[in-house]
Amino acid sequence: MKAGSKAWLEFLGRFSALAFLRLLAHGGFVGLALASWPSAVPATEPAWPNRPIRLVVPFPPGGGSDNIARLVGKAMTEGLGQPVVVENRPGAAATLGARLVSKAAPDGYTLLIGNAAVITMTPQLRDAGFDPVSGFAPVATLSGSYAVVAVRKDFPATDFKGFVAHARAQPGKVTCGTSGAGGATHLGCAILADKLGIDLRAVHYKGSAPAANDLVAGVIDLIIDPAAVPHVKAGRIRALAARGMNDGQIAELPGVPGLAELGAPMGTETWFGVLAPPGTPPAIINRIAAVIEKLTRSPDFGTSMAAMSMYPLFQGPRAFAERIPRDSTLYRDIIQKTGIKAD
């Protein structure tokens, strides 16, 4: 290349660079185009989880939900590689903590330990601040709570068939103790009465223990509650039927027939499960569900549940999502039919 030509090209290069800088300085189209040009390496979300996860319990420390949450938190910490912090947020009939999770960011870092009473019963009785179906992304169930249909020791009937006959002959006179108006045991009395076509009179207590104690004392006739088990074992009251998994027998009382084999299945149970805010990505939901399934299959978990009058009950995201509206409808119908009110 000739020296003159080379000098001419270098001049054009310097001129072009100068013009380019002037366009940038005056906000020209070149600057605008570069500002809107996509990055060569697109930004990506960090892998989940990359920070601690909050597991909300809508009850005070020490209860069944709290104990289950500790087991779940430990399993998730080990399975996901991030700390899981259990946070107790009681209040407003356990709806305070549930609302918190329902309205949280759907990023997998805020989860709820819920149960059938909070998620599917309470919204039928009061303004819970969330919809049981659209208010959560169901992850998985963990366990179910069993119960025993038990009567006072001197009750006139000695078996379930005799109990039904007696109750039909004495409409509204057989009393059924509950742990509180509008709670799971209250609805249990109502559902069983509806299934059998009998009229039971609910007597409300502040908890299961005082109801069971009054049954032992002969003040009331019946309870449907796991709190009956130790009294049955001690011979203080009489068990007529068991309400275990699928309304079957329970291991602690092997000689007591299940409601299903007696022809009176109640068709529901008090489940405990993990729920996430609506809109949580399915990939996150499925990862958590896999950890929960592994936990519920472990022998240690079964032992822990038995000590709390429960049994392992795993249902994945799809089955759990189908269960919630089904249970909600059942409770809504029985509440409307019987006129049950909450405390």
Side-chain angles (χ1 to χ4, degrees):
M1 182 181 292
K2 293 181 180 180
S5 298
K6 183 176 181 180
W8 176 247
L9 289 174
E10 289 177 355
F11 169 77
L12 286 176
R14 288 194 299 271
F15 177 82
S16 297
L18 181 61
F20 176 77
L21 291 172
R22 284 176 176 170
L23 279 171
L24 285 178
H26 290 86
F29 74 93
V30 176
L32 180 62
L34 286 174
S36 61
W37 192 262
S39 171
V41 181
T44 58
E45 290 293 326
W48 180 92
N50 63 359
R51 55 187 170 89
I53 297 168
R54 180 169 57 157
L55 187 58
V56 176
V57 181
F59 297 98
S65 293
D66 184 65
N67 291 335
I68 292 174
R70 306 290 164 176
L71 297 173
V72 173
K74 183 175 183 293
M76 288 182 62
T77 297
E78 294 171 354
L80 299 174
Q82 286 290 338
V84 175
V85 181
V86 175
E87 181 179 322
N88 297 91
R89 296 294 293 268
T95 62
L96 184 66
R99 285 200 304 267
L100 184 153
V101 175
S102 179
K103 301 180 187 309
D107 54 12
Y109 291 101
T110 304
L111 304 171
L112 175 73
I113 291 287
N115 62 27
V118 175
I119 304 301
T120 58
M121 295 181 195
T122 300
Q124 317 304 327
L125 293 163
R126 56 166 59 89
D127 181 8
F130 59 83
D131 182 88
V133 178
S134 64
F136 300 95
V139 179
T141 59
L142 291 152
S143 62
S145 180
Y146 64 68
V148 179
V149 181
V151 293
R152 54 186 168 86
K153 196 171 182 180
D154 59 349
F155 191 79
T158 58
D159 59 16
F160 189 76
K161 183 178 179 181
F163 161 76
V164 175
H166 178 84
R168 284 176 178 164
Q170 304 283 329
K173 294 188 177 181
V174 176
T175 52
C176 187
T178 83
S179 60
T185 55
H186 186 191
L187 284 163
C189 291
I191 292 170
L192 184 65
D194 185 63
K195 292 279 185 181
L196 298 173
I198 60 177
D199 182 11
L200 299 175
R201 180 162 59 89
V203 179
H204 305 304
Y205 293 84
K206 292 184 178 180
S208 294
N213 290 337
D214 263 11
L215 183 64
V216 171
V219 177
I220 55 175
D221 297 313
L222 166 79
I223 62 172
I224 307 171
D225 200 305
V229 172
H231 298 294
V232 170
K233 287 182 172 181
R236 293 187 287 265
I237 57 178
R238 189 185 313 124
L240 301 180
R243 185 189 179 195
M245 183 181 291
N246 298 322
D247 288 306
Q249 295 187 19
I250 60 176
E252 285 195 79
L253 301 172
V256 179
L259 283 169
E261 63 188 280
L262 291 168
M266 294 177 68
T268 186
E269 60 203 330
T270 301
W271 47 257
F272 291 77
V274 176
L275 302 102
T280 301
I284 293 176
I285 296 289
N286 291 333
R287 281 195 66 188
I288 301 169
V291 171
I292 293 171
E293 181 174 17
K294 182 179 179 181
L295 170 66
T296 59
R297 307 294 188 210
S298 69
D300 288 347
F301 185 77
T303 301
S304 297
M305 292 301 97
M308 292 187 278
S309 300
M310 299 183 199
Y311 48 86
L313 177 67
F314 176 79
Q315 290 178 310
R318 178 175 293 184
F320 194 11
E322 292 172 352
R323 177 173 201 141
I324 289 176
R326 185 171 65 244
D327 285 0
S328 297
T329 299
L330 175 91
Y331 295 130
R332 182 200 64 209
D333 291 348
I334 197 70
I335 287 167
Q336 290 179 350
K337 185 175 182 179
T338 60
I340 287 174
K341 303 293 183 183
D343 282 330

